[in-house]
Amino acid sequence: MPLRTSSKGSSRVNIETVARLLTIRNSPILLRLPPFVSALCLVVGIAWLFILPLNEYSRQTYVSENAILPGQVHTYFGGSEHNVFRAYRHEVYQMAQWSQADRLAAIEGIMRDIGLKSARQPYRYTVAGEDIQGTNVYALLQGPRADATEAMVLMAAWRNFDGEINHSGVALALTMARYFKRWSIWSKDIIILIPADSTYGSEAWVSAYHSTATEVTAWRNVSELSIKAGALQAAVAIDYPVGPWGHRFDKLDILYDGINGALPNLDLLNTAVSIASGQMGIGCSIHGVAAHSDSYQDRLKTLARGVMTQSAGHATGPHSAFMPYHVDAITLKTVGDGWHDEMSLGRTTESIFRSINNLLEHLHQSFFFYILLNANRFVSIGNYLPAAMLMAGNFTIAALALWLQSGRAPMTPTTKPADTASKLDGLQLEKVKLGDAVVLVPIQATKPMIRHLFLPVLAALAVHLFGVLPLKALVSLHRDYLTLSLQAIALASYLLPSLLSILLVRTLSASTQQIQILQSLSLLLLSAVLATLATLNFSLAFVVGVLAWPLAFVRPLFNPFAASMTLTSTNLHRSLLLAGQLLVTALYLALSPATVLYILTRYFDTSVQWTLLEMAKAWQIQGVYTALVVWAIWWPAWIVGGVVLTSSAWKPRS
Amino acid sequence: MNALRQVFNDHPKAIVFAAGALLRLLTALLFPSLPDLLTLRPEISTPVNSFRRLKEGSFLYERGLDPYDGGIFHQAPLFLSLFSLMPDPSFWIGRLVSILLYTGLDVLSADCLYSIAESGAAHTTRSFQSPRKARTWKPLSVAAIYLFNPYTLLACLGRPTTVFATAFTLLSISHACQRQTVTAAFALAFAAYVSLHPLLLLPPVGLLCYDRLCMDMDGSHDSPPHDETSFAPTTNSTIAVDQRAFPKAIPFALRFAATFAIFLALLLGLSRLLLPSWKFIPSVYLTALTLPDLTPNPGLWWYFFIEMFDAFRSFFLGVFALHMLSYSVPFCLRFQKQPLTAVVLMMGIIAIFEPYANAGTAGAWLSALCLLSHLFELSSLHRYTFPAMATLLYSTFLGPAFHHLWIYAGSGNANFFYAITLVWSLALLIILTDTVYSALRDEWEAERPEGKGKDVGQI
C-alpha cells in the first residue's frame, strides 16, 4: 500500500480534496457540533415516544400462531357447574376463617375428591429481617391424551396482589379443575396451583419446578415439589377477590409484565383478548385504564403506565414469576361493576385453555418485545427501540467528543471574545501547505497531545466498583435501617463528588485532560450498558437515560468573577453566568439517584421504607436488577459527573 | 503513602505481578461460583478448549476408556496426564489448584511480554529503527496491561486450555527475541500441539529469530543504517554491513522448521504412549479444520457453517482455512524489516479468524498489541482506535445479553448473537488493520522523515 503526501506532481483535484478534508477534520464548527448532536439525540429520543401512539407507528394486534385458533371452540362451562362453583365459593369463604393448616387440608381434600394428585410446598424467605412464609397447594390433572412432556398452569393465589383473599378466584380454579377432569381432550397436563401469596408463593413454586435440587440457605428455604409434569407451556392466573355473594364485573384487566420487564409472547395476550372480547363479549383493559376511548391521550397514558411498570421490573401479579423461566403467563383480573358473572370468566378461561391445548410447540411466533397502547394495539420493537438507542447514542457521542477534546491542546482561555477580530488574535495560526493549497489552521488543532490514561482509567474503575457499596447496603441491611441508610447515601452522594475532585485535583494533581478522559470513559460505559439494557428491558434503559441526561453536558464550573473574566465581560453578564451555574448545580443535585427516589415515592404516595423494602425483597428473592442498574451504573456515572462539575473549583491557584 | 511508593519503586515488577496474581485468586475466592459459570460461557469456552470437556476427557481417561471416542473431547492428550495429577476441580480445593495453575500461566505470559518489550525487538531491528522509538511503553506497563486485562482475567478463571497455547506462543516469541532458536522452536511446537493454529506463526517467528541472530552478528546496533541510500527500492537493505557474517537464510529456515517438526513429532509420540491408538490426531487437529461441532462462539465460522448446504461445506471449509493460511507468508514478506510486527499481526489473524475463536485469545492478542506501543500515536491520531475500542466495549456487553435472550429468555434468536459476534470481529479487525497502517506508515516515515505528521492520500 504505497502512501504519499499530496506533493507537487499530483493532480489539482487531489490537492483540493485533501485540503478540504483536512479543514473539515479540524474545522472548529465540527468540533463544536457534538453537544448539539447529543442534545438532538436526546430530544428526538424523548419525542419518539410521543409519536408512537399515532396510527402510523403502531399496529393492530393479530394472532400469529395458526395452531391457537382462539374462540373457535364451543365452551360448555355452565349449567350445573354454576351450582358447584357457588358451593366451592362458600367453602372457600369458610376456609378463610380457619387456621392455615386446616385450610390447606381442606383445599387438598377438595382436590383429592375431584380425583387429582395433590401436594403441598412450604417456603420461607428471610429478607431484611422480614419473614415471608407460606405453603402452596397444587394438583396435577393428567391429560388423557398427554404424554407428560408438556403442561399448562391454572393459578389462583390465595391472596391476590393487593392482599385481599381471592375467594371467587380460588373457587373458580377448583370448579374449573373439576370440570376439566371430565374432558378427554387434554393433550397437555394441567396443573392447578393455589399459591399462598401472589408474588413469593408463585416464585417459590416455579423456581422449585425448574430445579432438580433445592439448597437451603440462611435466607431461602424452598421445599422441593413432590409432583412434577413436563415443560410448562403457559400459565393463566385468575384474580377475582369477590366474597360469597358474588359481584358482577365490567371488564377484565390483563396483567402481563414479568420480572425485569420480560413480557409473555404477544400471542398469549391476543388469545385472551380475542376470546374475552370476541367470543364472550367481555371488554379488556391494560394497565387499569378502564375507560379507554382509543384517543391519543388514552393510548399515551397506557403507554406511559406500561413504561413505568416495566422499568420498575418488579412483579405485578402471580404470573410475573413465570417469565424468567421462559413460561408465558398472564393474570386475568376482574375490574369494575358490570353484568359479567363468574361463569363468563370461567368460559373465557376454558376457551383459553383449549387454545393453549392446541399448541404444537412453545409460543414463539409472535412478538416478545412490544408496548401495548390498548388491548388490541401495539408498538413493535423496531418502532420503539430507536428511542432508547438514541438515548444511549447521546452519551456515546458526548464520550467521543470529550475524547477528541482531550487529545488537543487546550484552546485559549474560556473568555468569549467580543468580536471576530479579537477571536482571530487569540488563536495562533499555522500555515499548512499542501502543494499549491495553503490552509490556515489554529496551531492547537494540529498539535496532538499525549493522553495520560492511567489515573482516569483507575478512577473510573474505582468509582464504578464503589457503586456496589450502596447496593449492598440497601439490599442486605435490616428493614429498620433502610431509610436511614438511604439518607446516609443521599448525603454522601452530595459530598462525594467534591471530595473526590479534591482528591483527584489536589492530591493526585489530575490535569483538565485527565478529568475529560475520566468523564469520557464513564459516559462510554454508561452508554454501552444502557444500549445493552435496552435490549433486555427497554423501559428501564429509557428511564435511566432520561434521568441521566445532564451527565452528557456537564462541564467544569468556573468562577465568572475571576481575574481572567473581568477584562472582557460586563458585571451583568458575569452575574447571569453565575446564576446559570447555580441553576445547573441545582439541576444536577435534583437528578441524583437518591433524590429521584425520594421524589418518586412522594409522587406515588408510598413510604420510603416500603419502597426500599420491596426493592430489597425483589432483588434477593426474584433477582430484579433495577437496584443494580440504579446503584452500580447510574449512581457512579452521576458521581463522575459531579467530579467533573466541581473539578475546576479545587484547582490549586498558580 | 511514601513507604508504599518506596516499596513500589524498589520492586515494581514483583509488585505488579503479585497484584495480578492476587487479583485472580481473590476473584476466585470471593466469587466461588464465577469460575464454574465462566467455563460454561460460549465466549470463553469452545469445543476445543473447554475446561468442562477436559474434565469429561480426564474422567474417561482415568477409567481406562479412550477419551477420543464419542466426539466430546478434542484437546491435546498431554492435558489428560497433567490434569489427572491434580485434585478433582469439582471441589473447592481442586478449583483453587487449577486456578493457581492458570494464574501461573498468566504470570509466565506477562513475564514473556515483559522480556519481549525489554528486548526492544519491536522498534529496533537489523535493518530498521523506528523514528518513534522513544514512545515505546515501559516493559512493565505491557506486562500490567496483560495482567489486568479483563478478557485475560476472565479467561484465567474460565480455564480454557488455549491459555496454554497463548503462554507458549509468547514464550516462543520471547526466546526468539533472546536468540534462543531451539527453545523458541520448542515452545512454538508446544503451542501448535495444543491448538494447531500457532503453526501459522512458524514463518514470522522464524523470521524474528533470524533477524535477532543477524543483529547479534552485526554487533553495533545502536545506529543501524539509516541514510537514504540504503533504502533504495531494489537493493537489499542490509547491504551496508558484511552480510557474509550472517547465517544463511535458507539453511536457517530449514533448520528452524526441522527443529520445530522434530519437537512436534516428539510431543505427538509422547501422546501416543499415553493412549491406545492414534485416534487422537484426527480428533484434536481435524476438529479445528473440519468444524464438526457448531456450538456458538465469538468467531466467524459457526453460523456460516450452520447455514451452509452440505454440498458446499468442504469447499468453503477449504476457502476459510486457506484464507487464514494466506496471511502468514505475505506478512513476513511485507514486514521483513519489522518481524515482531509480523508476529503480532499474525497472532491477531489467528485470534480473529480461527474456527473456534474465544475472548481469551483475543484479549491476549490485544495485550500483545501493546508491544507495538510506539505505533499507538499513529493509530490513535490517524485511525479509529477509540471508536474500535468503544465498539469492543459495546459488543462485550451486548454479546452475553443477546446470548441470554436467545438461549434462556427465548425471546431472541441465533441471529442476535451472530450479529454481535460480527461486530466484535469487526472491531478487532479495525484494530488489526489500523496497526498494519501504523506499522507501514512508521516504516515509510523512517525513509522520508519530511512526511511526518502529514495527512496522506492513497493511490
Side-chain angles (χ1 to χ4, degrees):
Chain A
M1 187 173 67
L3 302 166
R4 58 173 182 78
T5 53
S6 306
S7 57
K8 266 183 185 160
S10 58
S11 70
R12 173 90 197 160
V13 182
N14 208 340
I15 294 170
E16 276 177 2
T17 325
V18 171
R20 201 176 303 137
L21 277 178
L22 184 69
T23 40
I24 286 178
R25 253 176 82 144
N26 291 325
S27 91
I29 297 174
L30 203 68
L31 288 173
R32 281 199 198 130
L33 214 50
F36 297 102
V37 180
S38 249
L40 190 72
C41 280
L42 188 78
V43 172
V44 173
I46 293 174
W48 197 285
L49 226 54
F50 286 89
I51 62 163
L52 290 179
L54 299 176
N55 276 336
E56 287 77 9
Y57 302 95
S58 57
R59 278 192 270 173
Q60 203 70 28
T61 56
Y62 55 95
V63 173
S64 180
E65 169 71 69
N66 284 324
I68 294 182
L69 300 171
Q72 297 294 305
V73 289
H74 187 76
T75 52
Y76 297 94
F77 186 73
S80 61
E81 301 301 331
H82 204 169
N83 298 329
V84 176
F85 170 77
R86 277 194 290 245
Y88 280 154
R89 189 164 61 187
H90 275 280
E91 282 202 52
V92 170
Y93 182 69
Q94 294 268 301
M95 287 176 210
Q97 332 286 328
W98 299 347
S99 71
Q100 195 199 18
D102 291 346
R103 189 183 81 220
L104 294 172
I107 296 177
E108 259 197 302
I110 294 178
M111 285 171 165
R112 233 174 277 124
D113 286 347
I114 296 170
L116 307 177
K117 282 198 267 181
S118 70
R120 293 183 197 187
Q121 185 213 14
Y123 63 87
R124 178 185 186 144
Y125 297 104
T126 313
V127 178
E130 189 166 283
D131 239 6
I132 302 159
Q133 53 179 319
T135 305
N136 300 326
V137 191
Y138 68 103
L140 176 66
L141 190 165
Q142 279 161 330
R145 298 183 186 184
D147 52 2
T149 54
E150 294 178 339
M152 6 184 209
V153 180
L154 173 61
M155 230 183 331
W158 180 256
R159 279 183 189 280
N160 75 359
F161 197 66
D162 305 321
E164 301 160 291
I165 293 182
N166 194 4
H167 293 109
S168 299
V170 174
L172 189 62
L174 294 172
T175 321
M176 299 303 297
R178 186 176 181 276
Y179 169 74
F180 285 166
K181 177 70 183 163
R182 300 208 307 268
W183 283 91
S184 63
I185 50 161
W186 303 116
S187 55
K188 295 172 180 28
D189 294 336
I190 300 174
I191 293 169
I192 317 293
L193 170 63
I194 316 288
D197 158 64
S198 269
T199 315
Y200 307 107
S202 54
E203 169 66 37
W205 189 84
V206 75
S207 70
Y209 194 90
H210 291 96
S211 51
T212 45
T214 54
E215 207 180 320
V216 178
T217 61
W219 61 271
R220 182 179 188 274
N221 184 0
V222 172
S223 316
E224 287 177 40
L225 299 183
S226 55
I227 305 174
K228 280 189 189 179
L232 303 182
Q233 301 297 304
V236 177
I238 302 171
D239 182 352
Y240 190 20
V242 173
W245 309 115
H247 175 84
R248 289 174 182 255
F249 61 90
D250 178 35
K251 279 191 169 174
L252 278 182
D253 195 37
I254 300 181
L255 304 170
Y256 61 92
D257 280 291
I259 302 296
N260 286 328
L263 304 176
N265 195 286
L266 190 54
D267 266 345
L268 183 64
L269 230 121
N270 290 343
T271 308
V273 171
S274 78
I275 287 170
S277 53
Q279 197 182 11
M280 307 297 160
I282 309 175
C284 291
S285 68
I286 298 288
H287 293 297
V289 186
H292 202 300
S293 61
D294 206 23
S295 63
Y296 175 84
Q297 279 85 357
D298 281 349
R299 285 182 182 181
L300 191 65
K301 192 168 146 196
T302 317
L303 181 145
R305 285 195 189 181
V307 166
M308 286 316 288
T309 316
Q310 202 187 13
S311 61
H314 60 67
T316 54
H319 64 283
S320 295
F322 284 76
M323 238 65 89
Y325 296 89
H326 194 189
V327 180
D328 304 296
I330 50 172
T331 296
L332 307 176
K333 182 183 181 184
T334 58
V335 286
D337 293 321
W339 54 274
H340 299 290
D341 67 349
E342 53 275 1
M343 297 319 277
S344 353
L345 182 58
R347 275 200 295 279
T348 309
T349 317
E350 180 194 358
S351 196
I352 292 174
F353 272 81
R354 294 284 299 271
S355 284
I356 299 168
N357 190 44
N358 284 341
L359 281 179
L360 299 175
E361 47 184 326
H362 209 102
L363 283 167
H364 66 282
Q365 276 279 348
S366 195
F367 293 86
F368 280 100
F369 300 104
Y370 49 84
I371 295 179
L372 287 175
L373 301 175
N374 64 34
N376 40 34
R377 199 159 190 93
F378 78 107
V379 187
S380 76
I381 182 163
N383 286 356
Y384 70 73
L385 194 66
M389 286 303 170
L390 281 170
M391 283 290 165
N394 134 43
F395 296 116
T396 309
I397 291 169
L400 269 171
L402 281 164
W403 178 262
L404 281 181
Q405 254 177 43
S406 71
R408 282 165 194 284
M411 288 295 206
T412 36
T414 41
T415 47
K416 209 164 180 175
D419 57 327
T420 353
S422 65
K423 198 183 226 169
L424 280 177
D425 288 342
L427 297 170
Q428 285 176 291
L429 293 179
E430 182 196 37
K431 257 189 220 169
V432 175
K433 208 169 176 186
L434 290 160
D436 301 336
V438 177
V439 190
L440 282 176
V441 184
I443 199 155
Q444 290 92 337
T446 54
K447 289 280 171 288
M449 274 176 59
I450 298 173
R451 296 186 181 87
H452 298 282
L453 283 170
F454 182 67
L455 185 64
V457 169
L458 209 65
L461 262 181
V463 173
H464 279 86
L465 287 180
F466 199 65
V468 177
L469 274 186
L471 174 70
K472 194 79 191 155
L474 286 177
V475 299
S476 54
L477 280 177
H478 191 274
R479 57 178 165 172
D480 296 344
Y481 302 118
L482 284 178
T483 327
L484 188 69
S485 68
L486 185 67
Q487 283 160 357
I489 289 167
L491 193 68
S493 28
Y494 295 144
L495 296 178
L496 205 56
S498 296
L499 294 178
L500 271 179
S501 63
I502 290 174
L503 176 72
L504 280 175
V505 176
R506 283 269 167 91
T507 317
L508 301 169
S509 53
S511 62
T512 317
Q513 181 208 42
Q514 283 176 319
I515 297 288
Q516 278 174 341
I517 295 174
L518 171 66
Q519 194 187 4
S520 165
L521 292 178
S522 159
L523 287 178
L524 190 68
L525 195 65
L526 180 68
S527 71
V529 172
L530 285 186
T532 306
L533 195 60
T535 65
L536 299 170
N537 184 349
F538 162 82
S539 306
L540 183 56
F542 184 81
V543 169
V544 172
V546 169
L547 290 173
W549 73 265
L551 301 184
F553 304 99
V554 164
R555 296 291 179 271
L557 297 173
F558 56 90
N559 179 7
F561 292 96
S564 62
M565 297 290 297
T566 43
L567 296 172
T568 46
S569 43
T570 62
N571 252 340
L572 176 69
H573 186 196
R574 276 178 277 143
S575 309
L576 280 178
L577 275 175
L578 187 68
Q581 296 201 17
L582 285 177
L583 205 66
V584 166
T585 315
L587 180 72
Y588 167 78
L589 290 177
L591 285 176
S592 94
T595 323
V596 168
L597 214 60
Y598 278 121
I599 295 172
L600 282 181
T601 49
R602 180 65 61 85
Y603 179 77
F604 288 107
D605 209 20
T606 54
S607 84
V608 175
Q609 197 203 2
W610 179 84
T611 313
L612 291 174
L613 188 60
E614 286 303 309
M615 279 177 93
K617 285 198 282 193
W619 161 266
Q620 285 277 27
I621 299 175
Q622 304 196 297
V624 176
Y625 51 63
T626 311
L628 179 79
V629 172
V630 170
W631 298 115
I633 289 154
W634 177 23
W635 187 77
W638 184 85
I639 293 283
V640 170
V643 170
V644 174
L645 197 69
T646 52
S647 62
S648 62
W650 310 110
K651 203 142 262 173
R653 308 216 187 288
S654 52
Chain B
M1 194 72 193
N2 273 337
L4 274 178
R5 194 166 288 166
Q6 184 64 40
V7 170
F8 181 78
N9 285 339
D10 288 349
H11 318 277
K13 194 177 166 189
I15 299 272
V16 168
F17 278 47
L22 212 63
L23 175 69
R24 282 158 168 73
L25 293 178
L26 276 183
T27 320
L29 286 174
L30 285 178
F31 307 99
S33 59
L34 188 65
D36 289 337
L37 175 81
L38 286 172
T39 53
L40 285 171
R41 295 303 309 176
E43 294 89 352
I44 288 171
S45 301
T46 63
V48 295
N49 71 4
S50 153
F51 190 69
R52 278 172 79 88
R53 290 181 190 238
L54 179 64
K55 276 202 290 191
E56 173 77 16
S58 54
F59 180 87
L60 293 172
Y61 175 72
E62 278 165 24
R63 275 150 194 79
L65 296 163
D66 187 354
Y68 296 97
D69 265 344
I72 289 285
F73 183 62
H74 303 292
Q75 295 168 45
L78 284 180
F79 285 131
L80 294 172
S81 46
L82 175 65
F83 281 90
S84 61
L85 292 176
M86 301 210 317
D88 182 5
S90 319
F91 301 104
W92 71 271
I93 180 85
R95 194 185 309 133
L96 204 63
V97 169
S98 63
I99 284 173
L100 265 175
L101 172 71
Y102 277 81
T103 305
L105 281 175
D106 271 2
V107 169
L108 174 70
S109 304
D111 189 47
C112 293
L113 283 172
Y114 186 91
S115 68
I116 299 168
E118 213 175 21
S119 74
H123 51 75
T124 311
T125 66
R126 175 167 55 111
S127 52
F128 169 76
Q129 192 170 32
S130 167
R132 291 182 172 73
K133 190 179 161 187
R135 282 185 172 272
T136 315
W137 290 4
K138 275 182 277 184
L140 192 61
S141 314
V142 179
I145 291 280
Y146 182 88
L147 285 171
F148 299 103
N149 182 334
Y151 299 117
T152 54
L153 172 67
L154 292 179
C156 174
L157 297 176
R159 294 158 291 167
T161 45
T162 33
V163 172
F164 282 87
T166 309
F168 277 90
T169 307
L170 292 174
L171 189 65
S172 161
I173 299 169
S174 89
H175 278 280
C177 288
Q178 289 149 8
R179 306 172 188 88
Q180 290 160 337
T181 319
V182 179
T183 40
F186 171 73
L188 194 62
F190 193 86
Y193 167 77
V194 170
S195 80
L196 185 66
H197 283 105
L199 193 67
L200 298 176
L201 288 171
L202 188 62
V205 171
L207 182 69
L208 180 64
C209 271
Y210 181 71
D211 188 86
R212 300 296 289 177
L213 273 179
C214 291
M215 253 180 92
D216 197 28
M217 306 282 169
D218 192 11
S220 61
H221 245 284
D222 294 308
S223 55
H226 205 180
D227 50 325
E228 302 286 295
T229 50
S230 71
F231 286 90
T234 49
T235 53
N236 190 330
S237 52
T238 55
I239 201 140
V241 288
D242 183 9
Q243 229 186 351
R244 280 165 301 181
F246 290 174
K248 290 273 179 296
I250 292 173
F252 173 83
L254 289 177
R255 211 165 52 239
F256 187 72
T259 323
F260 175 84
I262 289 169
F263 279 126
L264 193 59
L266 210 67
L267 286 168
L268 293 176
L270 199 63
S271 310
R272 173 67 181 83
L273 291 179
L274 296 171
L275 292 164
S277 71
W278 285 108
K279 220 192 244 167
F280 71 91
I281 292 204
S283 177
V284 176
Y285 301 108
L286 224 51
T287 303
L289 294 172
T290 57
L291 211 75
D293 192 326
L294 293 169
T295 312
N297 62 56
L300 294 165
W301 291 49
W302 63 277
Y303 192 86
F304 196 79
F305 286 98
I306 282 175
E307 297 291 318
M308 179 73 56
F309 290 119
D310 275 350
F312 303 114
R313 195 182 155 86
S314 18
F315 172 71
F316 277 101
L317 279 173
V319 170
F320 271 52
L322 273 178
H323 168 249
M324 272 187 84
L325 189 66
S326 69
Y327 287 100
S328 188
V329 175
F331 271 155
C332 288
L333 294 176
R334 187 61 191 82
F335 292 98
Q336 231 172 15
K337 290 182 195 163
Q338 311 181 55
L340 187 67
T341 309
V343 175
V344 173
L345 289 175
M346 198 56 217
M347 280 174 76
I349 292 287
I350 293 172
I352 300 166
F353 289 115
E354 71 181 339
Y356 294 106
N358 64 80
T361 314
W365 171 63
L366 287 175
S367 309
L369 210 56
C370 295
L371 292 172
L372 308 178
S373 46
H374 59 290
L375 301 176
F376 285 175
E377 182 213 6
L378 273 170
S379 50
S380 78
L381 205 61
H382 296 286
R383 296 272 112 184
Y384 316 101
T385 312
F386 187 72
M389 294 306 267
T391 316
L392 269 187
L393 183 75
Y394 261 83
S395 54
T396 305
F397 283 112
L398 281 169
F402 281 174
H403 188 262
H404 168 84
L405 286 183
W406 170 27
I407 301 289
Y408 300 104
S411 42
N413 58 37
N415 297 317
F416 283 49
F417 185 64
Y418 175 59
I420 282 306
T421 61
L422 282 184
V423 174
W424 162 261
S425 305
L426 178 75
L428 288 176
L429 266 178
I430 285 175
I431 293 173
L432 184 87
T433 47
D434 286 358
T435 312
V436 171
Y437 169 89
S438 340
L440 289 176
R441 167 103 194 210
D442 191 50
E443 209 173 287
W444 178 80
E445 280 179 14
E447 287 171 45
R448 301 177 65 177
E450 78 277 6
K452 198 171 175 182
K454 291 206 172 126
D455 276 359
V456 290
Q458 181 186 350
I459 302 173

